[in-house]
Each structure stands twice: as C-alpha cells, then as structure tokens.
Amino acid sequence: MTSPEPPARILAVCTGNICRSPVVERVLAARLAGTDVQVTSAGTRAVVGHAVSAPMVPLLTDAGADAAGFAARQLTADLIREADLVIALTRAHRSQVVELVPGAVRRTFTLLEIARLVAHVDPQAVHDSGQTPGARLRALPGLAAAVRHVAGSGEDDVADPIGGSEAVYRASYDAMAPALRTLAQALRD
C-alpha cells in the first residue's frame, strides 16, 4: 500500500518576514485551504518571532486571510530545499535564495515574475499536469520556464513598505494581490 504524497510546499521570501512574505503566505494559504499545498514564509534578515507588521493586518483580513499566530523566521537552506516553489518578493531575494541553495534556481521566481509567466501558460496544460493543486504546483516551475521567451520581462520587485504610511502598505499589498489571485487560480482550476 502506498502512502499519500506529502503536501507540495510554497516558500515565500522577503527581508524581515513581517510585511510582504506573510501576505503571500497567508493569502495563498487561505485561497488554497483544503488542498494538498502548504504555504510558509521566511526572511533573509528576519525579525525573528515578530508578528505581521500592524498596517498589513487589516489588508490581510480584508483579503479573507488571518494574521493570527504568525511569527517571523529566518530563511535557511533547509527551508529552501523543502520547497517545491520559492516565491521571492524581489530579484535580490531570489538571488539570496539561489546563493544559499544553487539547486533551487529552477524553482525560484519573484512573485510578479511567476504570475506573469503563469498568465502565458495554457491553463489546460496546468490542469493536465496533475490531479491536485499540489501536483500542479510541482509541475508549475517547468511550465513557467517554458514560456519565459513569450512572457518577456517586466517589473519583478514588490516595494518594501516597512516604516511607510498606510498608503505605502496598501500600494505594496495592491502590487501583490493580482499575482496571488493568478497563482491560486492556476493551481485550483
């Protein structure tokens, strides 16, 4: 008798792990609840143990996600190795991930990059790549890489709102929201 496959894992990475990557973690987790996908996050210079930055909490709540119980943690090579997809919030974060674990290069993207690429992947190809969101997630890096030449380049970095006004936090959140919708929809459909 075969045991079920473990959940597929997404790891979101930003600097302090208190603003941007918690949004990716908690919003994707809410949208993929009840599936075989697990979403976590970490920071390259984490404010270890801290909660989600206060101005980001109502934005998470409005998105149907929950900030309760969140505690920032430091990025480690083991977290990267365990992830099927690493979502960095900037190109610099992506570089730091690949420096720690060079083998992660093919499964590490910025959030805006993976959403841009997924928008060019045939939805049927994503659907046909697996019966569950977790199976589709495991196939997604290869499918995304295959359309890189078609998708072109664009803005890849989500600005860090730390220390900014509520409007700055809103702008950062608004930069992430469409990408998170695109990614969750691709995995669920």
Side-chain angles (χ1 to χ4, degrees), residues 13-14 20-21 24 87-90 93 111 156-158 176:
V13 177
C14 73
R20 295 165 291 173
S21 57
V24 174
I87 298 175
L89 275 298
T90 67
H93 296 132
L111 173 63
D156 284 338
D157 294 352
V158 174
M176 293 183 277

Side-chain angles (χ1 to χ4, degrees), residues 154-165:
E155 180 56 48
D156 284 338
D157 294 352
V158 174
D160 189 351
I162 196 72
S165 66

Side-chain angles (χ1 to χ4, degrees), residues 13-26:
V13 177
C14 73
T15 305
N17 192 214
I18 57 172
C19 298
R20 295 165 291 173
S21 57
V23 167
V24 174
E25 173 187 330
R26 294 299 173 104

Side-chain angles (χ1 to χ4, degrees), residues 7-189:
R9 294 180 180 180
I10 297 173
L11 173 65
V13 177
C14 73
T15 305
N17 192 214
I18 57 172
C19 298
R20 295 165 291 173
S21 57
V23 167
V24 174
E25 173 187 330
R26 294 299 173 104
V27 170
L28 282 180
R31 293 195 177 150
L32 298 170
T35 72
D36 59 341
V37 175
Q38 181 183 73
V39 189
T40 61
S41 64
T44 59
R45 291 186 311 226
V47 188
V48 176
H50 282 246
V52 175
S53 187
M56 199 59 89
V57 173
L59 301 172
L60 277 173
T61 303
D62 289 349
D66 187 2
F70 181 86
R73 64 185 181 159
Q74 182 63 39
L75 179 67
T76 65
D78 284 343
L79 290 173
I80 297 166
R81 284 187 201 100
E82 293 167 0
D84 296 289
L85 175 65
V86 181
I87 298 175
L89 275 298
T90 67
R91 290 181 305 268
H93 296 132
R94 182 180 61 206
S95 294
Q96 289 171 299
V97 166
V98 174
E99 276 181 37
L100 270 175
V101 181
V105 68
R106 286 187 166 83
R107 55 189 167 84
T108 303
F109 302 83
T110 69
L111 173 63
L112 301 182
E113 175 189 28
I114 191 70
R116 185 172 60 252
L117 293 170
V118 165
H120 286 84
V121 173
D122 178 1
Q124 191 63 47
V126 177
H127 180 78
D128 292 348
S129 69
Q131 293 183 0
T132 67
R136 293 179 201 125
L137 174 64
R138 288 183 180 98
L140 197 58
L143 292 169
V147 298
R148 193 178 296 276
H149 66 288
V150 176
S153 61
E155 180 56 48
D156 284 338
D157 294 352
V158 174
D160 189 351
I162 196 72
S165 66
E166 286 184 19
V168 171
Y169 274 84
R170 167 56 77 182
S172 182
Y173 177 84
D174 287 348
M176 293 183 277
L180 294 170
R181 250 189 321 276
T182 296
L183 189 55
Q185 184 175 1
L187 295 174
R188 287 197 77 97
D189 286 353

